[in-house]
Amino acid sequence: MAGFDYDLFVIGAGSGGVRASRIAASHGAKVAVAEEFRVGGTCVIRGCVPKKLLVYASHFAHSLHDAPTYGWTIEGQSFDWAKLRDFVASDVDRLERAYTSTLDSNKVEHFHERATVAGPNTVRLASGREISAKVILIAVGAWPVLPDFAGVEHCITSNEVFNLPELPKRVVIQGAGYIALEFAGVFNALGSQVTVVNRSDKILRGYDHDLTDRLLPILQARGIEFGFNRPIRAVEKQADGSLLVHGGEGEPIVADVVLVATGRRPKTDGLGLENVGIALGRNGEVPVDAYNQSACPSIYAVGDVTDRVQLTPVAIREGHAFADTVFGAMPRTTAYDHIPSAVFTQPPIAAVGLTEAEARANYREIKVFKSDFRPMQNMFSDVAERGYYKLVVDGATDRVLGVHMLSPDAPEILQAAAIAVKAGLTKAQFDATVALHPSMAEELVLMR
Ligand code: NDP
C-alpha cells in the first residue's frame, strides 16, 4: 500500500459497495467507504426491503376479503398507514445498523459524507479532506429519472413514497414498469384509487407477453385504472392541495399523490469521473470491463452505476467478484445469463431465461408448454384470477430455455426453477420429477 492512505476506497455503501468492502477487508485490504445518505443503499433504505414489507402488508387486504368464506368473522377492521409506515421505517433502521456493524466488524472505516473522485488515486470528501487509495470503487447506484414536464416538482418518486404523511385517497402513477406496478398493487390493496398512466401501451416491457397480457386484466379487475399512450404533460397544484394531472386526450385526473416511476439512471453527476479520463456512457453509466475495471486502471465500478442489470443480487455478485479479483488473487467475473427476476405485483410475476420471442429469434425450433390454471387458494374466493406458467424449450436439445410464471408465490417458486434452468436441465427431466401435490408449483412438472 506504499504511499496510500487505504488499499481500497469505496464510494457508496449500498449492496455492491458494502459487499466489496467486506470481502476486500477479509482479504487483508485496508478499506474505507463513504456514504452521503444511509448505509444500506437503495435496496435496504428505499427499495426492495421496505417495498416488500408494504407488499406483505397489503396482502392482508386480500386475506381479509376471503376470510369470511373460510369461516372467519372479523369485526372492526381498520388500517393505519402511519403505523405501517413507522414499522417499516424501524425495520429499515434495524437493517442499517446491521449493515453498519458488518462494516465495523470487518474494520472498514466509514465516512458519512459525499465523496467525489479527485484523481486516479484520490477522493475528496465533502468536508474538503483528500484521501488517497490504491484502488477506488464507484458503487453509487442509480437515481430516479424525472421526465421533463411542467409541475414535475409536485410529484414524488420511490425515494419519497415510503414517508407519505397519510395514505393518499387518489394516486396517479406514471410508468408501467417494476416500481409503478408494484406500488399500484400496494396502494390499490390498501384502499387508494390508483391510475397508472404510461407513455406506451405496454406494461413490464421485457417480460414474456403471454404473462403481461394476462396480468393486465387481473390488475384492472382489481380496480387499477390504466391510461396508455398517455404521458403526463403537466401537473398542476390546486388551491385545496390536490393535483391535476394533464396528459392524453381525456379529462385531467385528480390526485393527492403523483408517483413518477420512469426508470433509474446511474448517479454519476458531479462525481468527478471526467477528472480521470472516464467517458460516461449514454445513460451516465461508468463503462467497465468484465472485471469491473473502468478506463482508468485504478478505478472500478459495480452495481447500478454501471447500468448492466439493475438488480441487488447482481450488484452483490459484482462487488464480491471485484474484491476477489483485485484483493484475493482470484480473478472472477459475473455471469449475466439466467438471472431470475420477479415483479411483486399482486399477483406477482417471475421469470428466468429466454422469453418465447427471444428464443424464437435465436433458436431454430422452439417448443412452448403452457399451464393455465386456477390456483387452489382462489377456489373458495370470489376472485376468479387464474395462474399461468410457461416453459420455453429448445426443440433440438429438449433443454428448458425459459420459465415464466404468473401466480401467487411465483417468485418463491421461481428461484428453485432457476437452478434447473441454470443447470441446463431438459423438459424430460422436469417431467421425470414427481409432482408435489397439492401445490401451484407442481404445474411446472405437469405440462404436456
Ligand atoms: P422500468 O424500466 O421498469 O420502467 C420504466 C417505465 O417508465 C416504463 O413503463 C417506461 O415505458 C416508462 N418510461 C421510461 N422512460 C420514460 C420517459 N422518459 N417518459 C415517460 N415514461 C417513461 O423502471 P422503474 O423505474 O420501474 O424501475 C427501475 C429499475 O429498478 C428496474 O428496471 C429494475 O431493474 C429495478 N427494480 C427492480 C425491482 C424488482 O426486482 N422487483 C423492483 C423495483 C425496481 P415503456 O417501457 O412502456 O416505454
Side-chain angles (χ1 to χ4, degrees), residues 174 176-179 182 198-200 205 261-263 310-311 342:
Q174 180 174 27
Y178 282 81
I179 295 175
E182 290 182 344
N198 196 28
R199 64 176 177 182
S200 74
R205 198 188 287 280
T262 50
Q310 289 188 352
L311 293 176

Side-chain angles (χ1 to χ4, degrees), residues 42 47-48 51 144-149 158 174-183 197-207 228 231-232 260-265 304 309-313 340-345 349:
T42 301
C48 328
K51 177 276 309 286
V145 177
L146 281 174
D148 191 15
F149 56 76
S158 55
Q174 180 174 27
Y178 282 81
I179 295 175
L181 295 193
E182 290 182 344
F183 279 99
V197 292
N198 196 28
R199 64 176 177 182
S200 74
D201 60 356
K202 300 266 179 305
I203 64 167
L204 296 172
R205 198 188 287 280
Y207 280 91
F228 289 118
I232 295 181
V260 175
T262 50
R264 294 171 58 84
R265 184 178 184 274
D304 288 0
V309 179
Q310 289 188 352
L311 293 176
T312 300
S341 66
V343 191
F344 293 93
T345 41
I349 68 176

Side-chain angles (χ1 to χ4, degrees), residues 145-302:
V145 177
L146 281 174
D148 191 15
F149 56 76
V152 73
E153 68 278 9
H154 303 309
C155 304
I156 63 165
T157 69
S158 55
N159 286 347
E160 294 81 36
V161 72
F162 298 102
N163 302 320
L164 292 176
E166 56 197 31
L167 183 70
K169 286 196 175 58
R170 300 157 298 186
V171 186
V172 169
I173 303 180
Q174 180 174 27
Y178 282 81
I179 295 175
L181 295 193
E182 290 182 344
F183 279 99
V186 166
F187 284 123
N188 167 252
L190 296 182
S192 305
Q193 184 188 316
V194 179
T195 308
V196 172
V197 292
N198 196 28
R199 64 176 177 182
S200 74
D201 60 356
K202 300 266 179 305
I203 64 167
L204 296 172
R205 198 188 287 280
Y207 280 91
D208 194 285
H209 297 318
D210 265 355
L211 262 73
T212 54
D213 287 350
R214 283 171 167 78
L215 177 63
L216 178 61
I218 294 177
L219 301 183
Q220 288 169 321
R222 286 194 177 212
I224 300 173
E225 304 260 341
F226 283 83
F228 289 118
N229 302 310
R230 190 174 179 164
I232 295 181
R233 274 202 325 270
V235 170
E236 199 185 332
K237 191 157 195 158
Q238 304 194 98
D240 65 355
S242 65
L243 301 168
L244 264 192
V245 183
H246 301 271
E249 290 178 355
E251 288 292 300
I253 309 167
V254 186
D256 304 300
V257 163
V258 179
L259 169 65
V260 175
T262 50
R264 294 171 58 84
R265 184 178 184 274
K267 197 166 178 265
T268 45
D269 287 351
L271 208 54
L273 292 166
E274 66 284 358
N275 297 336
V276 291
I278 296 176
L280 298 177
R282 209 165 51 91
N283 206 21
E285 72 273 18
V286 181
V288 289
D289 67 12
Y291 292 95
N292 304 295
Q293 190 171 31
S294 76
C296 176
S298 56
I299 299 186
Y300 291 71
V302 297

